[in-house]
Amino acid sequence: MTPMKEDYLKIIFELGGGYKKVSNKEISLGLGIAAGSVTEMITKLTEEGLVSHEPYDGIALTPEGIKHAAELVRKHRLWETFLVDDLHYSMTDVHPEAEILEHNTSDRLATALDAFLNHPKYCPHGGVIPAANGKFDSVSHRLLADAENGETVVIERFLDNHELLTYLNEVGLQLHAKVKVIKHEPFEGPILVECLDNDQQLSISYKASHNIFVNQEPLQD
């Protein structure tokens, strides 16, 4: 399987394609590529039995696709955890390194790395780490972009993307932050949020807001 096909399986997995249907637009925004390119690759993955797709009805991973994606994500995120926790890499720098390492990691090495790290459940940017048998904890797949004006949400995880993580580091949005959504600017403009721990207002780009996941259920007062 080519690295590009693997990237598609991983992004569909991250967007929740193992449980629900995701859109061409969501994949396009997540990978930062043209929608036409997404359509072409989804056709190939459908022919290989890795995704299911009905026109205008969304895209989902098949059981075989989930198996492949979970294995890739597991190895990638174990390496990210090792690089941050043990080699003290910045979270913004780990994705390219883990991308290389995951393709050269045997199941035996992944098992040893998992044990060395004491079986972590989540990677440094909040992504779930599947177990060796492919099982993984459920996580929210609700996007910051979908939060209503006036709603308070918790930032639970970021999409595994180097440019996104670098951007969020520069903007100052932190994992686990509690923020209030002030305003969605029209015409695919940014989202203005207020960080409740320091009263700082941040402007989050339209694209980034589709790569940030927040709590699924409303917060209790």
Side-chain angles (χ1 to χ4, degrees):
M1 183 180 296
T2 66
M4 180 59 73
K5 289 181 180 179
E6 291 178 345
D7 286 343
Y8 270 82
L9 292 179
K10 287 190 294 183
I11 198 70
I12 296 170
F13 179 91
E14 282 208 70
L15 291 168
Y19 294 104
K20 63 172 189 172
K21 294 178 180 179
V22 301
S23 68
N24 183 301
K25 181 179 180 180
E26 288 177 304
I27 298 171
S28 175
L29 286 168
L31 290 175
I33 58 178
S37 298
V38 173
T39 300
E40 183 179 344
M41 180 59 77
I42 292 302
T43 298
K44 294 179 181 178
L45 293 174
T46 301
E47 291 172 351
E48 294 177 19
L50 297 172
V51 305
S52 61
H53 177 226
E54 294 293 334
Y56 311 108
D57 192 37
I59 299 153
L61 294 170
T62 64
E64 187 67 17
I66 293 173
K67 178 182 177 181
H68 279 285
E71 181 180 346
L72 291 165
V73 168
R74 168 179 165 78
K75 292 174 180 178
H76 185 96
R77 292 179 176 171
L78 284 172
W79 281 118
E80 287 186 326
T81 304
F82 174 76
L83 290 168
V84 170
D85 291 355
D86 293 274
L87 298 187
H88 310 297
Y89 269 61
S90 166
M91 185 174 73
T92 60
D93 296 330
V94 296
H95 178 73
E97 302 280 15
E99 192 77 12
I100 296 171
L101 291 165
E102 73 178 70
H103 297 297
N104 297 284
T105 301
S106 65
D107 291 343
R108 178 182 179 184
L109 177 55
T111 298
L113 183 60
D114 185 36
F116 175 78
L117 295 169
N118 198 26
H119 310 293
K121 296 292 186 182
Y122 301 94
C123 74
H125 53 82
V128 66
I129 300 177
N133 62 4
K135 302 296 183 181
F136 49 90
D137 294 338
S138 62
V139 295
S140 171
H141 293 101
R142 187 164 72 118
L143 301 171
L144 175 61
D146 297 330
E148 301 289 341
N149 289 346
E151 183 180 0
T152 297
V153 298
V154 176
I155 306 300
E156 292 193 346
R157 64 188 178 95
F158 302 136
L159 204 66
D160 196 357
N161 178 286
H162 175 65
E163 290 184 3
L164 172 71
L165 297 175
T166 301
Y167 166 79
L168 294 176
N169 183 60
E170 293 172 351
V171 170
L173 185 64
Q174 300 293 319
L175 202 63
H176 310 307
K178 185 182 290 188
V179 304
K180 183 176 181 179
V181 178
I182 305 300
K183 182 181 181 182
H184 290 68
E185 295 290 351
F187 299 107
E188 299 189 354
I191 295 178
L192 182 65
V193 304
E194 179 181 357
C195 296
L196 299 184
D197 60 340
N198 59 14
D199 299 324
Q200 181 182 8
Q201 290 195 353
L202 305 176
S203 181
I204 309 299
S205 75
Y206 176 84
K207 180 178 178 180
S209 71
H210 283 79
N211 288 199
I212 300 168
F213 300 88
V214 301
N215 51 295
Q216 190 70 40
E217 301 297 329
L219 295 178
Q220 299 297 321
D221 294 331

